[in-house]
Amino acid sequence: QVYKGLDIITNKVSLQEQRLCRHHMISFVDPLVSNYTVVDFRDKAVALISYIFARDKIPIVVGGTNYYIESLLWKVLINTKEKASTAPGPVTDRKVELEQLDGVELHRRLSQVDPEMAAKVHPNDKRKMARSLQVFEETGIPHSEILHQQQEEEGGGPLGGPLKYPHSCILWLHADQAALDQRLEKRVDDMLAAGLLEELRDFHRRYNQEKVAENRQDYQHGIFQSIGFKEFHEYLVSEGNCSPETSALLLQKGIQALKQVTKRYARRQNKWVRNRFLRRPGPNVPPVYGLEVSDLLRWEEDVLKPALEIVESFIQGREPPAEPLKMEYDVNENKRSHRVCELCDRVIIGDREWAAHTRSKSHLHHLKKRRKLEAASRAAESEGGSGGTETRGEDSSSP
């Protein structure tokens, strides 16, 4: 939402709603800027939060790109050297350059300068490996060493440095999965009715058509990685160059892909809240209050009224009437452990991910298959062994 354009597909709050309460950090970055990062977001947002506090107002951070919210709450990011420019047009971004390398080469380079981080990062995760290499190149310090320094600060923990705003609270709106899926599908239909295709065509014509023609389209950086844009890529580039029947099929394919990826993203958001907010080890974690939004007819009773009571209690320094959500976590859990499942030929990062993998259908299928092969091998060896004994017996009776 920081980028100008694609207002429908990024679900930006309407201008009418913005007049009800002052909004920040919306539609201020040129779409052609591809090197805008979470560090840029954090730096601008932190300055705004200070400005809002100075005016005796309360800043409300609205999700849900939870990685960005986490960067505001805790000291978890690393500053590298200043960028040369944030103007539109070609820019030199070392991380993007490194991402062009083969994953094996990235892992080899990272192993040389920061073996600890190389052991923690999945060898297929080119983005994280490129970022760690960028941090080392631009600071001269291994990425893992900087993270250790953050974690060892007062209030720090296994997931990063201390909490930056000690009197925060998190309101987590969550819904039953079936109700959420149905609502997300309807949201896509509403976006189409609001003019989504016209918005995509216009944006493609202004910013993307030339890149596609020159085969330099990049759906991994900047606004072009927005959910919804790349899902309609085939439809946009073929429109007018194929039969109406083919175009209609590609359109339906894009719509279904958008619905699917939106639901998948919502699941990842919920998983992030559980793992990074509710299960975060250490004492410096804001309370998380769950608000059930499955039944929109009960919005006043289930969401608005309790939310206002919680926030009012925080303002007045009272204990809120609601209990924050609690989830048990293992203080000894290693979120960066590195294991190789030779059976499935996969690298697994994290204790919980390893436990989940060993219970997965895929792993159990391979395990069952291997046990069958081992049993068959033992049976063959047994038969071969008994056959050999008989042969030796016959040989011994020969002259």
Side-chain angles (χ1 to χ4, degrees), residues 10-12 41 58 68 80 89 120 142 171 203 212 232 240 276 278 305 325 341 351 357 376 391 398:
T10 56
N11 285 283
K12 287 176 184 168
F41 173 86
I58 298 174
Y68 281 58
T80 53
K120 292 177 179 178
L171 303 177
F203 195 87
V212 171
F232 286 93
R276 309 289 290 198
L278 289 173
K305 187 172 181 288
L325 297 173
C341 180
D351 290 352
H357 173 72
T391 302
S398 300

Side-chain angles (χ1 to χ4, degrees), residues 124-158:
N124 293 338
D125 197 334
K126 293 175 69 173
R127 279 191 169 195
K128 286 186 178 177
M129 289 190 289
R131 174 57 178 162
S132 292
L133 282 169
Q134 180 195 27
V135 168
F136 177 76
E137 288 181 7
E138 297 182 358
T139 66
I141 306 171
H143 192 177
S144 58
E145 186 177 327
I146 297 176
L147 293 178
H148 283 311
Q149 291 171 3
Q150 285 184 349
Q151 293 162 5
E152 289 167 4
E153 290 182 34
E154 185 178 354

Side-chain angles (χ1 to χ4, degrees), residues 231-255:
E231 282 70 29
F232 286 93
H233 173 82
E234 283 187 87
Y235 171 73
L236 292 170
V237 299
S238 65
E239 194 174 25
N241 300 315
C242 63
S243 68
E245 293 78 14
T246 301
S247 186
L249 285 172
L250 291 174
L251 174 59
Q252 285 305 312
K253 181 181 175 183
I255 292 170

Side-chain angles (χ1 to χ4, degrees), residues 73-139:
L73 290 174
W74 290 278
K75 185 177 179 181
V76 292
L77 299 179
I78 295 170
N79 294 324
T80 53
K81 69 181 182 183
E82 291 294 319
K83 291 178 181 170
S85 171
T86 55
V91 291
T92 302
D93 188 320
R94 183 56 181 154
K95 178 173 172 286
V96 175
E97 289 179 347
L98 287 165
E99 285 176 19
Q100 306 310 309
L101 296 173
D102 178 75
V104 174
E105 174 62 15
L106 280 173
H107 198 263
R108 184 189 68 80
R109 292 191 186 190
L110 185 58
S111 299
Q112 289 178 339
V113 300
D114 192 349
E116 182 181 343
M117 187 58 71
K120 292 177 179 178
V121 177
H122 197 288
N124 293 338
D125 197 334
K126 293 175 69 173
R127 279 191 169 195
K128 286 186 178 177
M129 289 190 289
R131 174 57 178 162
S132 292
L133 282 169
Q134 180 195 27
V135 168
F136 177 76
E137 288 181 7
E138 297 182 358
T139 66

Side-chain angles (χ1 to χ4, degrees), residues 265-284:
Y265 182 63
R267 283 170 168 78
R268 287 206 305 269
Q269 287 177 313
N270 286 332
K271 183 179 178 181
W272 187 285
V273 172
R274 293 188 184 98
N275 289 343
R276 309 289 290 198
F277 295 162
L278 289 173
R279 290 196 179 103
R280 196 180 191 94
N284 290 305

Side-chain angles (χ1 to χ4, degrees), residues 282-297:
N284 290 305
V285 182
V288 179
Y289 296 93
L291 300 170
E292 174 66 48
V293 295
S294 296
D295 186 356
L296 292 181
L297 296 177

